[in-house]
């Protein structure tokens, strides 16, 4: 593992289950036990019915590229060595949208609707970040 220069996630009591799941290779989000709605990013209550009763549930980690952009200017120092780099909105098969980077694909080959799957990257001691790559056929 090389020196990771990008910002690390701010792990809090609320989002810690998501990051602990990533260490185990699981993509965890919250699911309301009152209405069944799932959501990300973490929140103390359901974004649909406002219930405070939820659990953490593993998603498939597969989905499609909903939208994307390729940055040609590095606004943060940690990204400048990777220019140009992409940021995509991934719509997971379960309906949750997640903003992330696509790895293992040239920026010119990214397309809206492309099937993707989650992979997990250890970026620092005790920090694993989900990323997405083109899905295996």
């Amino acid at each position: 593992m090389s020196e990771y220069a990008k910002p690390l996630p701010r792990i809090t009591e609320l989002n810690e289950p998501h990051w602990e799941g990533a260490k185990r290779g699981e993509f965890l989000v919250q699911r309301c036990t009152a209405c069944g709605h799932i959501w990300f990013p973490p929140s103390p209550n359901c974004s649909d019915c406002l219930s405070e009763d939820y659990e953490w549930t593993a998603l498939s980690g597969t989905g499609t590229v909903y939208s994307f952009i390729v940055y040609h200017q590095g606004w943060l120092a940690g990204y400048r060595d990777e220019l140009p780099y992409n940021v995509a909105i991934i719509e997971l098969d379960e309906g949750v949208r997640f903003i992330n980077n696509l790895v293992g694909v040239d920026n010119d080959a990214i397309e809206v609707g492309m099937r993707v799957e989650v992979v997990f990257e250890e970026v620092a001691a005790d920090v694993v970040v989900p990323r997405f790559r083109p899905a295996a056929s």
Side-chain angles (χ1 to χ4, degrees):
M1 178 172 47
S2 62
E3 183 73 27
Y4 191 76
K6 297 174 190 166
L8 292 170
R10 184 171 297 146
I11 299 173
T12 66
E13 185 177 334
L14 178 62
N15 69 23
E16 185 177 22
H18 173 76
W19 298 109
E20 288 299 315
K23 288 180 198 175
R24 296 187 305 272
E26 296 179 300
F27 193 89
L28 299 180
V29 300
Q30 291 169 293
R31 187 184 76 77
C32 180
T33 56
C35 73
H37 179 68
I38 59 173
W39 70 90
F40 193 88
S43 172
N45 59 320
C46 175
S47 59
D48 202 37
C49 75
L50 303 180
S51 172
E52 295 178 358
D53 299 322
Y54 63 84
E55 63 187 4
W56 288 88
T57 187
L59 300 185
S60 65
T62 58
T64 59
V65 174
Y66 180 81
S67 182
F68 72 96
I69 188 169
V70 175
Y71 283 90
H72 293 272
Q73 180 168 346
W75 299 102
L76 297 173
Y79 291 89
R80 291 188 184 129
D81 289 341
E82 295 184 15
L83 290 173
Y85 66 91
N86 66 71
V87 176
I89 299 173
I90 308 301
E91 186 168 67
L92 296 169
D93 292 340
E94 296 85 356
V96 173
R97 290 186 183 155
F98 191 77
I99 299 173
N100 208 300
N101 303 109
L102 297 174
V103 296
V105 62
D106 290 335
N107 290 329
D108 292 341
I110 299 170
E111 296 180 359
V112 169
M114 172 188 277
R115 293 290 299 163
V116 294
E117 61 189 6
V118 71
V119 293
F120 296 94
E121 177 185 356
E122 184 177 0
V123 297
D126 214 32
V127 179
V128 175
V129 175
R131 304 271 190 232
F132 287 85
R133 69 177 176 205
S137 299

